[in-house]
Amino acid sequence: MLFLVRHAESTENATKCTGFYGNPRPWTGPAAHVLSRDIVGLTPRGFLQCLWLRQTLRDLAGADPAVRTSQYRRALDTAALAMPGLPYERTALLNEQHYGAATYMTKEELFATYPEGTEDRQARKHLWTPPGAGGESLAGGVLRRATAFVDGLHTASAANVVAFTHHTAILALRSVLERRPVTELVEEARVRKTPNAAVLVYEQVDGLFHACGTAQPDC
């Protein structure tokens, strides 16, 4: 079984409109990415969600699953609080989409600074490649990483794997696991994103994964 977990609520999630997206942005692209990857942690609500995850994952995945997590602090903190005492493997395959020089830019600042990418960002979000070093599109780099992660699950020795990851990475992982076009999932996410600390459950049968349930916290 595979249990995909979106990290618990982060300070970025809670203050998106007031905290990190200044216009003009106060950081350079590389500095913004370091902030996003290494500094952003969980809110008090996020800690409560981790307590809910602790019991929920024990009930769903048992006492000794294999644990994988992205390299971002908010996913690492969620894993450590939700599954205390268990070893976990950090992997870049589960990282959030790398937004390159556009990290923490408002749309207005992004379109003014990089007008050549405006049409893709507005109408073909899955194909938009963020400018600058490391920028990757959802349908390109993120989907390739998701495919590599799922391919590795076919040879995993553990019966249950819990993977802590991020909203955009979950879109790519769902595309691979559910064999659905990423464009379809992007459209669904425009209406409703995967909630923080939600758990998506997949069962592997004859080499294919099948969605078999979800769980999400009340808090």
Side-chain angles (χ1 to χ4, degrees):
M1 301 282 285
L2 169 66
F3 304 88
L4 281 186
V5 184
R6 186 183 178 195
H7 64 80
E9 185 184 76
S10 71
T11 54
E12 178 187 328
N13 299 140
T15 65
K16 185 168 184 177
C17 296
T18 59
F20 290 87
Y21 289 81
N23 190 1
R25 180 186 59 178
W27 308 286
T28 64
H33 180 67
V34 170
L35 176 66
S36 175
R37 184 190 63 216
D38 299 332
I39 304 300
V40 170
L42 304 180
T43 63
R45 182 186 183 195
F47 281 93
L48 290 176
Q49 290 172 344
C50 288
L51 294 180
W52 174 84
L53 279 170
R54 184 178 300 183
Q55 183 60 54
T56 299
L57 290 172
R58 179 174 287 273
D59 291 343
L60 291 173
D64 194 28
V67 182
R68 307 286 184 267
T69 177
S70 90
Q71 298 170 319
Y72 282 56
R73 178 184 167 187
R74 51 194 181 270
L76 292 166
D77 287 353
T78 303
L81 290 166
M83 311 200 81
L86 288 181
Y88 53 84
E89 177 185 323
R90 306 182 189 197
T91 173
L93 298 179
L94 292 174
N95 282 356
E96 178 60 290
Q97 181 178 2
H98 195 319
Y99 291 99
T103 305
Y104 291 143
M105 274 190 173
T106 64
K107 290 181 182 179
E108 293 76 15
E109 186 178 12
L110 173 66
F111 298 154
T113 308
Y114 301 102
E116 64 278 3
T118 299
E119 186 175 353
D120 270 352
R121 178 64 180 82
Q122 291 177 328
R124 298 179 291 271
K125 187 177 180 182
H126 64 295
L127 296 178
W128 174 63
T129 302
E136 58 180 353
S137 70
L138 171 55
V142 185
L143 191 59
R144 284 193 293 272
R145 290 194 280 106
T147 301
F149 180 80
V150 173
D151 286 347
L153 294 173
H154 294 302
T155 57
S157 57
N160 292 327
V161 176
V162 179
F164 294 89
T165 186
H166 306 261
H167 165 65
T168 306
I170 284 175
L171 294 180
L173 286 160
R174 288 186 61 197
S175 178
V176 178
L177 292 163
E178 300 173 20
R179 300 169 295 284
R180 296 173 61 193
V182 71
T183 49
E184 186 176 295
L185 295 162
V186 168
E187 287 305 309
E188 289 181 6
R190 292 181 188 275
V191 178
R192 185 174 186 271
K193 292 184 176 182
T194 302
N196 289 111
V199 182
L200 283 62
V201 184
Y202 294 87
E203 183 178 15
Q204 186 174 188
V205 180
D206 296 329
L208 294 177
F209 285 91
H210 303 272
C212 58
T214 61
Q216 64 185 68
D218 294 329
C219 55

